[in-house]
Amino acid sequence: MSRWILHADLDQFLAAAELLRRPELAGRPLVVGGDAGQLDDPHARTVVATASYEARGYGVRSGMPMRLARRRLAETDAVFLPSDTTYYEQVSDEVMRLLRGLGEPVEVIGWDEAFVGTDGDPRELAHRIRGTVATTGLSCAVGIGDNTLRAKTATGYAKPGGIAELTAANWFATLGADPPEALPGIGRATARALAELGITTVTRLAESRPGDVAARLGPNRGPYYVSLGRGMGRTELETGPWVPRSRSRETTFPTDLTDRAALHTELRTLAHRVAADVAAEDRDCVRVGIRVRTRSFRTTTRSRALDPPGRGADAIADVAAQLLDELDPDRPVRLLGVRAELTEPA
DNA sequence: TCTGGGGTCCTAGGACCC
DNA sequence: TCTGGGGTCCTAGGACCC
């Protein structure tokens, strides 16, 4: 247990990582997203993964359709780069290695985010984290909190590249009047459900009766949301390596597929990629799932135990094919995905 | 906003068993 | 079989995060 929790969040990570190896692009709007093969396809159905701060100045945001981003940046000297996940993982690994070298407990929670705990001076550590990250050529914002939730929420006030602090002492003064969506873990759907209960601010959420929220949002989630409103979080960090529980691959096709044989070909390709990922983990698959999204954006999933568990590509592909046959989509398919649930690691 | 890809966790209903 | 209550597993879907 740590007296203080710090949350470090790398600034515009994918764009910043690209600038590390292409410093000549500094200052120009930069947008990262899509695969290398789709970059020049004007019809590709991709979205923005990360926009640099310059690009954000033109209203470009993560998750925005790439075609819209191109339109917004049409009159600029913007640069568009495909996602290079292998490279980002390398850069991320190096940053996390340096953070672990600080001598404090570290919990990695994503490519560009980590919690660091300390019983010492949190301001001093925050500056040390920023200095350490700076040695890689990247920068980060740091949130200081008395638990994980307050630290992560604080980072929102620190971006980009600053330091902010949220504790029990200033929690409600800082965001009590904000909508519940200001809290990590509460999205649009939950916010709407809370609004129907008359809960429109963090303070009102904190003052709600857990049972009332549970009746609407579930026996565990309800009380959990109330605890979020109160600013409660963990003070214990999970410092072990991240162990994936599943591996999946999915593809959105440039144009919808209707041909059954073509769907099966794509499904097998995905299943073999998943099988390779499973084998790379040196674990077995216990359950195979597929995901089908049709033209109307309606998404359906099916899954079945793999009996016996294993990692054979054909065994995984055969179950996926069975599930697709049983689902038998009668509408044009825009996305196909295959997922493997994994055994516990050895 | 014609809406990616890779993950995690929770919920709820039905099956099944005692 | 005019029929209870509960636990657990399986499955589909929803919500959220980066």
Side-chain angles (χ1 to χ4, degrees), chain A residues 289-309:
Chain A
I290 67 166
R291 199 145 98 96
V292 176
R293 176 173 292 154
T294 56
R295 175 172 290 171
S296 62
F297 220 71
R298 172 149 199 93
T299 307
T300 310
T301 61
R302 290 289 183 274
S303 69
R304 179 166 297 156
L306 181 62
D307 189 23

Side-chain angles (χ1 to χ4, degrees), chain A residues 32 49-50 82 86 105 115 119 131 137-138 141 147 156 166 176 227 240 245 261 265 291 294 300 328 333 337 339:
Chain A
V32 181
T50 299
T86 308
F115 287 120
D119 292 324
L138 299 170
N147 63 42
L166 269 180
S227 80
R245 287 160 178 75
T265 302
R291 199 145 98 96
T294 56
T300 310
D328 193 23
V333 172
R339 194 169 68 91

Side-chain angles (χ1 to χ4, degrees), chain A residues 99-328:
Chain A
L99 291 182
R100 289 192 192 281
L102 291 170
E104 303 281 7
V106 171
E107 176 175 331
V108 177
I109 56 174
W111 271 354
D112 59 347
E113 278 180 68
F115 287 120
V116 185
T118 188
D119 292 324
D121 177 353
R123 292 258 156 199
E124 183 275 327
L125 179 58
H127 284 104
R128 209 142 47 90
I129 288 171
R130 297 219 344 104
T132 299
V133 168
T135 64
T136 66
L138 299 170
S139 71
C140 70
V142 179
I144 298 173
D146 47 9
N147 63 42
T148 51
L149 175 70
R150 292 205 180 105
K152 186 170 165 64
T153 307
T155 304
Y157 297 90
K159 286 180 186 177
I163 297 171
E165 183 174 318
L166 269 180
T167 64
N170 63 347
W171 176 255
F172 290 108
T174 305
L175 72 160
D178 288 352
E181 275 175 279
L183 302 168
I186 297 185
R188 211 173 27 165
T190 303
R192 197 180 311 135
L194 291 172
E196 285 169 19
L197 296 175
I199 300 168
T200 52
T201 66
V202 170
T203 295
R204 295 196 73 155
L205 179 59
E207 291 170 347
S208 298
R209 289 208 308 246
D212 293 346
V213 185
R216 174 62 193 259
L217 286 151
N220 290 310
R221 305 244 40 129
Y224 173 68
Y225 293 135
V226 175
S227 80
L228 287 182
R230 295 174 181 170
M232 293 161 69
R234 290 179 292 130
T235 53
E236 199 80 48
L237 298 184
E238 310 259 340
T239 57
W242 175 70
V243 178
R245 287 160 178 75
S246 66
R247 285 292 188 188
S248 67
R249 295 283 181 172
E250 63 183 48
T251 306
T252 294
F253 306 113
T255 52
D256 300 340
L257 290 186
T258 46
D259 181 59
R260 197 177 158 279
L263 284 170
H264 273 278
T265 302
E266 296 289 347
L267 190 75
R268 280 207 100 72
T269 302
L270 290 166
H272 277 75
R273 290 174 66 197
V274 167
D277 294 340
V278 172
E281 288 286 327
D282 196 24
R283 304 186 24 215
D284 282 336
C285 167
V286 293
R287 186 174 196 83
V288 177
I290 67 166
R291 199 145 98 96
V292 176
R293 176 173 292 154
T294 56
R295 175 172 290 171
S296 62
F297 220 71
R298 172 149 199 93
T299 307
T300 310
T301 61
R302 290 289 183 274
S303 69
R304 179 166 297 156
L306 181 62
D307 189 23
R311 60 188 77 176
D314 287 331
I316 291 172
D318 287 347
V319 173
Q322 273 174 31
L323 292 167
L324 180 60
D325 276 334
E326 289 165 18
L327 186 59
D328 193 23

